[in-house]
Amino acid sequence: MLLEKILQSQGFGSRKYCQQLIKSGAISINHEICVDTKAKFDLKNFTFKVHGEEFEYREKVYIALNKPQGYECSHQAQYHFSVFDLFDPTLLNRGIQCVGRLDQDTTGLLLLTDDGQFLQALTHPRKHVAKVYELITANPITPEQIRLLEQGVELRNDGIFKASNIKQTSSNQLSLAIHQGVYHQVKRMLAAVGNKVEKLHRSKIGELELPMLAEGEWTYLDQTQIELAKSRMVP
Ligand code: URA
């Protein structure tokens, strides 16, 4: 692929801007500055430096973020920060999107990608990819509440929703899996059984666990992790 096209595909700006970047001597490949905008490179394991910073060519990007509290999943966040504030302009130029949404006060595993097919695969209502949440409740969780969550609760205007793999870890602490993603689903399910979510954290999507990341940190996913995120959990 032409160097100017490579840079454009990686989010460095318009074709014209990338040509200027190359001509200005900002790009080096294999320790040599390349000023030829029409130079061609094989993309397999291709790395390049822009102003001395190294980048790896990625056809698509798959990102896991440990979402902090106080961040909205929208580009035009109104009352809080936007999760997109946590990413470099190159990634924003590539048009990364959140794979589903977490509330501003929910923490944990949030995937972002510029691969429309991957986004569809994980968010399509019929795919049923499981999402696991850890939650702290305002009131002690009763066996009856767990039974109701397993059996299914009605959420107004949306239908009946069940939780699976429910594990109570202390009087006010629970982990559960859901297979859909309607608005405020976990909070509304807990409210429907007479409790209240105080803290919510997503720990797993499909079979992919939140990687070791501090809040606000992110990492690229490798192929194995991408497949794990897509895999369904046995209910
Ligand atoms: N359910 C909720 O209520 N909130 C989230 O952020 C995710 C699932």
Side-chain angles (χ1 to χ4, degrees), residues 9 17 41 47 56 59 63 65 81-82 86 89 93 98 107 109 113 121 129 136 141 150 153 191 201 219 228 235:
S9 74
Y17 180 79
F41 294 93
T47 60
E56 186 183 327
E59 191 181 348
I63 291 166
L65 166 72
F81 298 112
S82 160
L86 299 165
N93 287 340
C98 296
T107 58
L109 181 57
T113 186
V129 172
I136 297 180
I141 301 147
E150 276 169 345
V153 294
H201 175 85
T219 184
L228 283 175

Coordinates of all heavy atoms in Angstrom, one line a residue, residues 9 17 41 47 56 59 63 65 81-82 86 89 93 98 107 109 113 121 129 136 141 150 153 191 201 219 228 235:
S9 N -5.1 5.7 6.5 CA -6.0 4.6 7.0 C -5.8 4.5 8.5 O -6.6 4.0 9.2 CB -5.6 3.3 6.3 OG -4.4 2.8 6.8
Y17 N -2.8 16.0 4.0 CA -2.1 16.2 5.2 C -1.0 15.1 5.4 O 0.1 15.4 5.8 CB -3.0 16.2 6.4 CG -2.2 16.4 7.7 CD1 -1.8 17.7 8.1 CD2 -1.9 15.4 8.5 CE1 -1.1 17.9 9.2 CE2 -1.2 15.6 9.7 CZ -0.7 16.8 10.0 OH 0.0 17.1 11.2
F41 N 4.6 -0.3 0.7 CA 5.0 -1.2 1.8 C 4.1 -2.4 1.9 O 2.9 -2.2 1.8 CB 5.2 -0.5 3.1 CG 6.3 0.6 3.1 CD1 6.0 1.9 2.8 CD2 7.6 0.2 3.4 CE1 7.0 2.8 2.7 CE2 8.6 1.2 3.3 CZ 8.3 2.5 3.0
T47 N 5.5 -1.6 10.8 CA 5.6 -0.6 11.8 C 6.3 0.7 11.2 O 7.0 0.6 10.3 CB 6.4 -1.0 13.1 OG1 7.7 -1.3 12.7 CG2 5.8 -2.2 13.8
E56 N 2.1 0.6 15.0 CA 2.0 -0.6 14.2 C 0.8 -0.5 13.3 O -0.3 0.0 13.8 CB 1.7 -1.7 15.3 CG 1.7 -3.1 14.8 CD 1.4 -4.1 15.9 OE1 1.8 -3.9 17.0 OE2 0.7 -5.1 15.6
E59 N -5.3 -3.0 10.6 CA -6.4 -2.9 9.6 C -7.6 -2.3 10.3 O -8.3 -1.4 9.8 CB -6.7 -4.2 8.9 CG -7.6 -4.0 7.7 CD -7.9 -5.3 7.0 OE1 -7.2 -6.3 7.3 OE2 -8.8 -5.3 6.2
I63 N -10.5 -2.4 21.0 CA -9.9 -1.8 22.2 C -10.8 -2.3 23.4 O -12.0 -2.3 23.4 CB -10.0 -0.3 22.1 CG1 -8.9 0.1 21.0 CG2 -9.7 0.4 23.4 CD1 -9.1 1.6 20.6
L65 N -11.4 -1.0 27.3 CA -11.2 0.2 28.2 C -11.7 -0.2 29.5 O -12.8 -0.8 29.6 CB -11.9 1.4 27.7 CG -12.1 2.6 28.6 CD1 -10.7 3.3 28.8 CD2 -13.1 3.6 28.1
F81 N -17.7 13.7 31.5 CA -16.7 13.6 30.4 C -17.2 12.6 29.4 O -18.1 11.9 29.7 CB -15.3 13.1 31.0 CG -14.7 14.0 32.0 CD1 -14.6 13.7 33.3 CD2 -14.2 15.3 31.6 CE1 -14.1 14.5 34.3 CE2 -13.6 16.1 32.5 CZ -13.6 15.8 33.8
S82 N -16.5 12.5 28.3 CA -16.8 11.5 27.2 C -15.7 10.5 27.3 O -14.6 10.8 27.4 CB -16.9 12.2 25.9 OG -16.8 11.2 24.9
L86 N -10.6 9.9 26.3 CA -9.5 9.1 26.7 C -8.6 8.5 25.6 O -7.7 7.8 25.8 CB -10.0 7.9 27.6 CG -10.8 8.2 28.8 CD1 -11.6 7.1 29.3 CD2 -9.9 8.8 29.9
P89 N -6.2 11.4 19.0 CA -6.9 11.8 17.8 C -6.8 10.8 16.7 O -7.7 10.7 15.9 CB -6.1 13.1 17.4 CG -5.4 13.6 18.6 CD -5.2 12.4 19.5
N93 N -10.0 9.8 14.7 CA -10.1 9.9 13.3 C -10.5 8.6 12.6 O -11.1 8.7 11.5 CB -8.8 10.4 12.7 CG -8.5 11.8 13.0 OD1 -9.3 12.6 13.3 ND2 -7.2 12.2 12.9
C98 N -18.3 2.9 20.6 CA -18.5 2.0 21.7 C -19.3 0.8 21.3 O -20.3 1.0 20.5 CB -19.2 2.7 22.9 SG -18.3 4.1 23.6
T107 N -18.6 1.3 35.9 CA -17.2 1.1 35.6 C -17.0 -0.3 34.9 O -17.9 -1.1 34.8 CB -16.3 1.1 36.9 OG1 -16.8 0.0 37.7 CG2 -16.4 2.4 37.6
L109 N -15.5 -3.1 31.9 CA -15.1 -3.5 30.5 C -16.0 -2.8 29.5 O -17.2 -3.1 29.4 CB -15.1 -5.0 30.4 CG -14.8 -5.6 29.0 CD1 -13.4 -5.1 28.6 CD2 -14.9 -7.1 29.1
T113 N -14.4 -0.1 18.8 CA -13.8 -0.6 17.6 C -14.2 0.3 16.4 O -15.1 1.1 16.5 CB -14.4 -2.0 17.3 OG1 -13.7 -2.6 16.2 CG2 -15.9 -2.0 17.1
A121 N -21.9 -7.8 15.5 CA -22.0 -9.1 16.0 C -22.2 -9.1 17.5 O -22.9 -9.9 18.1 CB -20.7 -9.8 15.7
V129 N -24.8 -12.3 23.3 CA -23.5 -12.4 24.0 C -23.7 -12.0 25.4 O -24.4 -11.0 25.7 CB -22.5 -11.4 23.3 CG1 -21.2 -11.4 24.1 CG2 -22.2 -11.9 21.9
I136 N -23.1 -3.9 43.7 CA -23.4 -3.7 45.2 C -24.7 -3.0 45.3 O -25.1 -2.1 44.5 CB -22.3 -2.7 45.8 CG1 -20.9 -3.4 45.6 CG2 -22.6 -2.4 47.2 CD1 -19.7 -2.6 46.2
I141 N -29.5 -8.6 49.8 CA -30.2 -9.4 48.7 C -30.8 -10.6 49.3 O -30.1 -11.4 50.0 CB -29.1 -9.8 47.6 CG1 -28.5 -8.5 47.0 CG2 -29.8 -10.6 46.5 CD1 -27.0 -8.7 46.6
E150 N -33.7 -14.8 38.4 CA -33.5 -16.0 37.6 C -34.7 -16.3 36.7 O -34.6 -16.7 35.6 CB -33.2 -17.2 38.4 CG -31.7 -17.2 38.8 CD -31.3 -18.2 39.9 OE1 -32.3 -18.7 40.6 OE2 -30.2 -18.5 40.0
V153 N -37.9 -10.8 35.1 CA -38.7 -9.7 35.6 C -39.1 -8.8 34.4 O -38.4 -8.7 33.4 CB -37.9 -8.8 36.6 CG1 -37.6 -9.6 37.9 CG2 -36.6 -8.3 36.0
A191 N -34.3 -3.0 40.6 CA -35.4 -2.2 41.1 C -36.7 -3.0 41.1 O -37.5 -2.9 42.0 CB -35.5 -0.9 40.3
H201 N -20.4 -2.7 37.9 CA -19.1 -2.8 37.3 C -19.2 -4.0 36.3 O -19.7 -5.1 36.7 CB -18.0 -3.2 38.3 CG -16.7 -3.5 37.8 ND1 -15.8 -2.5 37.5 CD2 -16.1 -4.7 37.5 CE1 -14.7 -3.1 37.0 NE2 -14.9 -4.4 37.0
T219 N -6.4 -1.0 26.3 CA -5.4 -1.8 25.6 C -6.0 -2.3 24.3 O -7.2 -2.4 24.2 CB -4.9 -3.0 26.4 OG1 -3.9 -3.7 25.8 CG2 -6.0 -4.0 26.7
L228 N -12.8 -14.4 22.0 CA -13.4 -14.6 23.4 C -14.6 -13.7 23.6 O -15.6 -14.1 24.1 CB -12.4 -14.4 24.5 CG -11.3 -15.5 24.7 CD1 -10.3 -15.0 25.7 CD2 -12.0 -16.8 25.1
P235 N -25.6 -20.5 29.2 CA -26.4 -19.9 30.2 C -26.6 -20.7 31.5 O -26.4 -21.9 31.5 CB -27.8 -19.7 29.5 CG -27.7 -20.4 28.2 CD -26.3 -20.9 28.0

